[in-house]
Amino acid sequence: MSLTNKWQTQPEEIFALGSIVPVLVIENVEDAVPIAKALIAGGINVLEVTLRTANALDVIREIASKVPEAMIGSGTVTNPDTLQQSIDAGAKFAISPGLTKELLVASKNSPIPLIPGIASISELMTGIDAGFDHFKFFPAEAVGGSKSIKSISGPFPNIRFCPTGGINQDNMGNYLSLNNVSCIGGSWLVPNDAVANKDWAKITEITKNAVASAKQFA
Ligand SMILES: O=C(O)C(=O)C[C@H](O)[C@H](O)COP(=O)(O)O
């Protein structure tokens, strides 16, 4: 892909790191490293920290500096400012729930790749026109789920998706069995109660189960 030669990593490399990308909403910076290590112990080292919490950028900074084996990305990147903040914090890739022309243009001058989000064919075409071929599909279950993604493969066979939104242990196979889905994302690996109780072993256990299930579709 000749989208830009500035990206240090290519989207296909991110998508190939594993079948499951944990979507993390971390409130407390002190929980960042234990959560990242619990996921890695369970077999996942690609992580998306959403910029939905006040401390999210510090969480990214913490994981980037203290857990070098993690491939840490930022999520909920909705504009050029949050893209730049993610880069400054040490994120190695950025994911957006959607796309705007401003964000797509800014990402071409960024050192880290952007995975834009789409929920419609027209949004997908806007992204393809800008040179992108790897997208998040969000909110997956609410906009037709795996049936939608399967249909999209007809007119757009070369596009690869990472769907998120309503995906979990029970339905991930519907997505991972599709040729145009490289990985799926979800928040179910890190339940709120496990974080509240600092039950890091539970996160590792859920992650191991998810990784084992995903292997069937690899
Ligand atoms: O915050 C963002 O940037 C998002 O794009 C949304 C997340 O990917 C989904 O909210 C995850 O969905 P659940 O697994 O159903 O919780």
Side-chain angles (χ1 to χ4, degrees), residues 96-99 116-125 135-140 142-144 148 152 161 164:
S96 180
L99 57 78
I118 66 113
S120 75
I121 301 301
S122 301
E123 291 160 1
L124 177 63
M125 287 163 59
F135 294 88
K136 175 167 180 154
F137 183 74
F138 173 78
V143 292
S148 283
I152 293 171
F161 293 101
T164 78

Side-chain angles (χ1 to χ4, degrees), residues 6 93 133 150 157 199:
K6 299 202 168 142
F93 64 95
D133 55 11
K150 191 174 183 186
D199 188 354

Side-chain angles (χ1 to χ4, degrees), residues 1-2 19 25 36 49 93 158 206:
M1 187 173 67
S2 58
S19 305
V25 184
V49 173
F93 64 95
N158 300 323
I206 295 170

Side-chain angles (χ1 to χ4, degrees), residues 23 48 50 52 75-77 95-97 136 138 164-167 185-188:
V23 175
E48 173 188 342
T50 61
R52 292 199 221 165
T76 334
V77 175
I95 305 192
S96 180
K136 175 167 180 154
F138 173 78
T164 78
I167 302 180
S187 61
W188 89 94

Side-chain angles (χ1 to χ4, degrees), residues 1-210:
M1 187 173 67
S2 58
L3 195 155
T4 170
N5 58 10
K6 299 202 168 142
W7 292 350
Q8 290 157 1
T9 314
Q10 295 305 312
E12 47 267 49
E13 295 171 58
I14 310 284
F15 274 33
L17 282 171
S19 305
I20 305 169
V21 180
V23 175
L24 307 174
V25 184
I26 303 179
E27 303 281 350
N28 300 316
V29 178
E30 65 182 26
D31 294 335
V33 168
I35 290 173
K37 289 192 168 166
L39 290 162
I40 290 170
I44 291 179
N45 77 335
V46 53
L47 320 173
E48 173 188 342
V49 173
T50 61
L51 300 186
R52 292 199 221 165
T53 64
N55 289 327
L57 289 167
D58 285 333
V59 166
I60 292 172
R61 221 168 266 123
E62 187 82 353
I63 295 174
S65 63
K66 297 193 178 153
V67 192
E69 64 272 42
M71 176 56 111
I72 174 88
S74 63
T76 334
V77 175
T78 56
N79 53 46
D81 285 347
T82 46
L83 176 61
Q84 187 58 50
Q85 289 162 5
S86 302
I87 296 163
D88 295 343
K92 295 175 182 146
F93 64 95
I95 305 192
S96 180
L99 57 78
T100 65
K101 289 209 169 139
E102 290 77 12
L103 181 60
L104 298 181
V105 167
S107 79
K108 292 188 183 184
N109 290 313
S110 149
I112 64 172
L114 171 73
I115 313 294
I118 66 113
S120 75
I121 301 301
S122 301
E123 291 160 1
L124 177 63
M125 287 163 59
T126 299
I128 292 172
D129 280 352
F132 289 77
D133 55 11
H134 287 71
F135 294 88
K136 175 167 180 154
F137 183 74
F138 173 78
E141 281 289 292
V143 292
S146 56
K147 284 186 183 163
S148 283
I149 302 179
K150 191 174 183 186
S151 300
I152 293 171
S153 73
F156 303 101
N158 300 323
I159 303 303
R160 293 290 169 269
F161 293 101
C162 183
T164 78
I167 302 180
N168 53 45
Q169 177 79 23
D170 297 329
N171 62 8
M172 67 173 164
N174 298 340
Y175 293 91
L176 289 174
S177 53
L178 299 176
N179 288 337
N180 57 344
V181 169
S182 308
C183 50
I184 52 106
S187 61
W188 89 94
L189 300 159
V190 181
N192 290 338
D193 64 328
V195 177
N197 297 326
K198 301 203 183 294
D199 188 354
W200 314 127
K202 184 172 178 182
I203 293 171
T204 299
E205 186 193 321
I206 295 170
T207 305
K208 279 186 178 164
N209 283 338

